Amino acid sequence: MTTDVRPRIALVIAGGTIDSLGATRLDLAGYPEAASRLSPGRLLSDVPELSEICDVREIPFRRLSSYALTPQDWLELAGIIDAVLLDEAYDGVVITHGTNTLEETAYFLDLTTRSPKPIVLVGAMRPASALGADGYLNLFRAVQVASSPAARDLGVLVVMNDAIYAARDVTKTATFRINAFQAPDLGPLGYADADGEVVIYHRRPRAAGSASFCLAGLDNLPRVDVVMSYVGADGTFIDAATAAGTRGIVSAGTGAGRVTPLEEEAFMRASAAGVVLCQSSRVGSGRVPAPPPAKRATWVAADNLRPWKARILLSLALTQTSDVAEVGALFALHVPSEGA
Ligand code: ASP
């Protein structure tokens, strides 16, 4: 009797473009309206080459457009992944996901899952029916990465267009291009390359405080909103978020994190009502430094997190504390640093 020594990979198909079908091979934009997907089992059976490198088992999950996901979906997904990877039978997990919010789910899982085994998210910029569909090769590359010992202990990864990214760094930068996923500040960690090798050029251990957020007992996440600044912005949306009972607001400020005078006033009203404020930038790259001493009682800085990722970290921090200094300390703990 021969023993199967192939890595065993769990595949969670959570929807998105990668298993969507268009009306024709050139339907590359309007296909979400048709809401047509590959039939169950097809995504896997369409890539028979996967069995040459590993044993892939599908784990049931609902298939959605990623912009329809809710915090409850995230909580459930994190629980499934932790349970699957606690099982010694699995060496890694791949999650197929819509690209619109893929980076948000990846960062949420990075902050909440505990396994050192590879956790890889992947999507596609073109539906499975498209001329030049990218999803099948992306899926193969993601499974290659999840099967590789080199991908252990790197936190949650995103594999798109042969590149391997850290969940914190990666962002979608284009609406339709197949190279839409980039890490503007820090670049990819490595590649699942054309010769079949998984090459990691930069090892980024998880930040010291990662996986410190325990989801046990949660059935929702604290509400946190994002408010974008622009010329002439007043405090309407800030006041509305406060009135809606938000626990935190991430300001997507201009430049390195500046807002209009009227927004400043509204943020002070929000803070007086107990809302924790986080300053990020709408620029798309670079750090927002720590606030000046006079603002430290009300504001924390997003560092280089995009506003929608700072929102996730703030929401998780608020499951532990509403104290601004403690939230700031949690943000600092989650900036990856050498030796962490
Ligand atoms: N409609 C998709 C989504 O679920 C877009 C994509 O997957 O590329 O985000």
Side-chain angles (χ1 to χ4, degrees):
M1 194 178 94
T2 55
T3 317
D4 188 354
V5 292
R6 292 174 303 168
R8 191 175 289 181
I9 302 300
L11 176 67
V12 179
I13 301 179
T17 290
I18 191 165
D19 64 342
S20 291
L21 296 171
T24 69
R25 296 213 302 162
L26 289 177
D27 179 3
L28 302 173
Y31 58 89
E33 269 62 59
S36 171
R37 295 191 179 278
L38 291 172
S39 52
R42 251 318 271 289
L43 189 59
L44 259 185
S45 65
D46 278 351
V47 195
E49 295 83 356
L50 286 170
S51 65
E52 292 168 20
I53 58 167
C54 65
D55 176 8
V56 186
R57 302 274 169 95
E58 190 176 332
I59 308 289
F61 196 73
R62 52 196 160 278
R63 299 199 264 163
L64 301 167
S65 295
S66 70
Y67 39 84
L69 287 166
T70 64
Q72 285 72 30
D73 293 314
W74 277 356
L75 293 169
E76 192 182 331
L77 194 55
I80 289 171
I81 290 165
D82 267 337
V84 163
L85 293 181
L86 265 179
D87 184 340
E88 281 181 13
Y90 287 101
D91 299 295
V93 62
V94 170
I95 303 143
T96 65
H97 196 287
T99 62
N100 287 14
T101 66
L102 188 147
E103 68 205 69
E104 290 177 59
T105 300
Y107 190 50
F108 174 77
L109 295 174
D110 193 50
L111 293 171
T112 55
T113 56
R114 288 154 196 282
S115 179
K117 296 176 185 175
I119 301 171
V120 181
L121 278 87
V122 64
M125 296 302 296
R126 296 173 181 157
S129 49
L131 191 62
D134 54 330
Y136 292 117
L137 186 56
N138 280 351
L139 175 63
F140 187 83
R141 295 291 184 231
V143 171
Q144 267 182 307
V145 172
S147 305
S148 168
R152 281 180 68 94
D153 274 317
L154 289 176
V156 172
L157 300 172
V158 170
V159 172
M160 288 292 287
N161 200 30
D162 295 351
I164 305 167
Y165 299 98
R168 180 184 167 106
D169 304 342
V170 72
T171 193
K172 184 174 179 178
T173 64
T175 50
F176 291 121
R177 303 288 83 83
I178 59 169
N179 66 347
F181 279 76
Q182 303 287 336
D185 282 334
L186 296 157
L189 301 181
Y191 298 92
D193 224 339
D195 60 352
E197 289 295 312
V198 172
V199 190
I200 303 292
Y201 289 100
H202 308 287
R203 286 199 75 78
R204 267 266 305 277
R206 283 183 157 196
S210 67
S212 59
F213 295 108
C214 175
L215 302 175
L218 291 181
D219 57 12
N220 204 346
L221 294 171
R223 177 175 180 143
V224 173
D225 293 284
V226 177
V227 177
M228 166 94 81
S229 189
Y230 46 87
V231 170
D234 62 17
T236 301
F237 290 113
I238 298 157
D239 290 333
T242 307
T246 201
R247 302 266 316 277
I249 301 178
V250 175
S251 160
T254 61
R258 301 289 173 175
V259 299
T260 67
L262 287 177
E263 286 181 300
E264 282 280 7
E265 287 172 20
F267 278 128
M268 287 311 96
R269 290 193 289 277
S271 172
V275 177
V276 178
L277 306 176
C278 172
Q279 188 63 67
S280 69
S281 170
R282 66 178 202 175
V283 165
S285 166
R287 286 176 62 239
V288 170
K295 289 180 124 187
R296 283 191 194 154
T298 39
W299 287 93
V300 300
D303 194 87
N304 69 348
L305 285 173
R306 298 253 168 145
W308 43 95
K309 288 188 183 170
R311 196 193 79 80
I312 294 167
L313 181 52
L314 180 52
S315 179
L316 288 168
L318 287 167
T319 64
Q320 295 187 356
T321 178
S322 299
D323 180 89
V324 177
E326 288 176 13
V327 170
L330 282 168
F331 267 65
L333 207 54
H334 284 84
V335 177
S337 59
E338 211 170 316

